[in-house]
Amino acid sequence: MAFNKRVKIKSLLESDFVGQEVTLMGWVRTKRSNKNVSFVALNDGSTINNYQVVADPNIIDEETLKRITTGACIKISGQIVASQGSGQNSEIAASSITILGEADPEKYPLQPKKHSLEFLREIAHLRMRTNTFGAVFRVRHALAYAVHKYFNDKGFFYIHTPIITASDTEGAGETFKVTTLDLKNPPLNEDGSINYKEDFFERETNLTVSGQLEGELAAMALAEIYTFGPTFRAENSNTTRHLAEFWMIEPEMAFYDAEDNQDLAEDFLQYVIGYALEHCKDDLAFLDKRATDEEQGKKADQRSEMGLLDRLRFVTENKFERITYTAAIDILRNSNPNKKKKFQYLIEEWGADLQSEHERFLVEKHFKKPVILTDYPKEIKAFYMRQNDDGKTVAAMDILFPGIGEIVGGSQREERMDRLTQRMDEMHIPQEEMWWYLDTRRFGATPHAGFGLGFERLVQFVTGMGNIRDVIAFPRTPGNAEF
């Protein structure tokens, strides 16, 4: 006889099971008892909603009832009956309860009270059992599914790009090294440098910072591809916006120019956020209330003008405003916060790298809709971006959202061999190490484009969580690789 004949709580709440005998399994959230009956709130992870178990002490023995404590895992069989109380249409009248796993109330850290997010990060192995994190990770799943569904339905192919690589796409140099050499006694060259010829790959390697370059190679054969995988940055940043390990979504498309790229990115973002709005209603309603409560604790000038659900609809219901970097600099330079020196970073001249405060001003105050900024100065962008005819800018785009600023960065890629090699030389990127990348310009080059979306940034935006460490199950940050 199969052990798992259970009905999920989500199914119980969506259909009429009254009168049926069922088996439930889950974790105890709370228990309250009087002389005549015990009420247990059960959660099995399928939904944010708990389900009420009614345990009659004449049917369930006292010893078992004693062992039903917050955090314990139990199996209940019984009949679904119409609920007497408010809040739920039905409940289960238990005919038998089996304790699958006890939780000592003296030691179990998640007792029914409000816990700080900092405390929950320290017990990340248990934090998914809270309403907040259960909701976050169900939404994260829905968004991941929506990403694959969107690209699959459009005829894109999913490519797995290497996690171990010898290239640093961004040229930032902040990579995690991969080696099997004896760190206490590495083989050395005559000049004292490490001899990587003796290493596993016979060269210096690192964990990938992006799958984009390999994605471009695939797009030169399969036309429309996307990657969705882990990426790593050894940036020593202890902020609410940085992780050392995170997931990137990177589509690359042959036969696309800068405008096609913008169209795809806008459509893609509206689709995945719309998917979450449609399929995660209960979780998002809870997270919306949570975000509103959190806003109450902030100073008036730091509060968001929109609630979480308002922000999500703001993105799905508005056409994105498209403006050039040059036009944005003019708007910012003449803006009140700039003139009154309210910006932390004042905008004085063309060429400045925009900060989150500038991006949010454009979205939330000036245009009151999501913004696609295009044609950035080439000096602040990567070598592979297509140079515009003005000689000063590249066909780059960033998409800016309320509350967070930049969420997507992309560009038309430079397909002209002479322009690309010239830019690589200017930025001291060795051509001989990138021979394979340059081959796609030598043989059958075509206009192509792509963009990157940090998946955790998207999950943060959709869930309203203020810290990026709270949208990935086990965050990797400086000084922290627990669990």
Side-chain angles (χ1 to χ4, degrees), residues 91-336:
E91 58 196 23
I92 184 167
S95 54
S96 75
I97 296 180
T98 307
I99 311 290
L100 301 177
E102 294 186 23
D104 183 343
E106 298 296 314
K107 294 179 181 167
Y108 182 60
L110 283 178
Q111 294 306 319
K113 62 169 190 161
K114 200 167 170 59
H115 298 284
S116 73
L117 294 175
E118 290 77 12
F119 170 71
L120 292 173
R121 269 175 231 133
E122 291 169 17
I123 55 163
H125 59 303
L126 296 172
R127 67 178 179 170
M128 285 186 221
R129 296 192 192 184
T130 64
N131 281 338
T132 297
F133 287 97
V136 165
F137 290 108
R138 279 186 296 269
V139 172
R140 184 180 168 112
H141 160 77
L143 289 167
Y145 176 76
V147 168
H148 288 298
K149 180 165 170 45
Y150 177 83
F151 285 122
N152 184 67
D153 290 354
K154 278 210 170 314
F156 280 58
F157 300 106
Y158 177 33
I159 298 293
H160 298 103
T161 54
I163 288 172
I164 299 172
T165 171
S167 64
D168 170 9
T169 316
E170 301 295 329
E174 293 163 333
T175 59
F176 288 101
K177 304 293 178 219
V178 175
T179 182
T180 57
L181 294 177
D182 179 353
L183 297 182
K184 289 188 183 136
N185 186 26
L188 301 176
N189 295 312
E190 285 178 11
D191 64 0
S193 62
I194 291 174
N195 179 7
Y196 285 102
K197 276 269 175 246
E198 302 278 316
D199 207 348
F200 187 91
F201 295 106
E202 299 182 5
R203 63 190 299 182
E204 205 170 344
T205 52
N206 49 265
L207 294 179
T208 183
V209 297
S210 162
Q212 180 209 312
L213 300 186
E214 293 90 347
E216 281 188 54
L217 310 182
M220 290 298 103
L222 300 172
E224 294 171 332
I225 67 94
Y226 71 105
T227 75
F228 188 172
T231 51
F232 308 85
R233 302 264 166 102
E235 193 177 337
N236 196 3
S237 295
N238 257 314
T239 75
T240 57
R241 294 162 57 97
H242 288 90
L243 289 168
E245 175 184 282
F246 53 98
W247 289 68
M248 285 288 288
I249 296 152
E250 297 171 299
E252 291 291 328
M253 299 76 62
F255 322 123
Y256 269 53
D257 66 9
E259 191 178 349
D260 297 321
N261 199 30
Q262 292 160 37
D263 291 345
L264 181 79
E266 179 173 344
D267 186 56
F268 166 68
L269 286 167
Q270 290 186 323
Y271 175 87
V272 294
I273 292 168
Y275 185 92
L277 278 168
E278 186 182 341
H279 292 90
C280 305
K281 288 190 174 76
D282 288 352
D283 287 321
L284 287 176
F286 171 84
L287 291 166
D288 180 58
K289 183 180 182 308
R290 186 199 157 277
T292 303
D293 293 346
E294 197 171 64
E295 287 289 313
Q296 301 306 319
K298 293 182 182 174
K299 292 179 186 164
D301 62 336
Q302 291 174 346
R303 284 182 200 161
S304 174
E305 288 179 19
M306 288 181 275
L308 174 62
L309 289 169
D310 297 333
R311 279 200 299 277
L312 300 183
R313 293 191 191 103
F314 175 89
V315 168
T316 57
E317 292 170 9
N318 278 303
K319 189 116 184 66
F320 295 10
E321 185 72 33
R322 301 184 186 193
I323 59 157
T324 64
Y325 166 91
T326 303
I329 286 289
D330 287 342
I331 291 166
L332 290 165
R333 200 189 278 139
N334 296 315
S335 69
N336 272 334

Side-chain angles (χ1 to χ4, degrees), residues 333-352:
R333 200 189 278 139
N334 296 315
S335 69
N336 272 334
N338 202 54
K339 286 178 175 170
K340 293 180 177 173
K341 299 195 170 8
K342 289 275 174 68
F343 281 144
Q344 192 181 343
Y345 297 90
L346 295 178
I347 296 291
E348 285 162 1
E349 56 190 38
W350 190 90

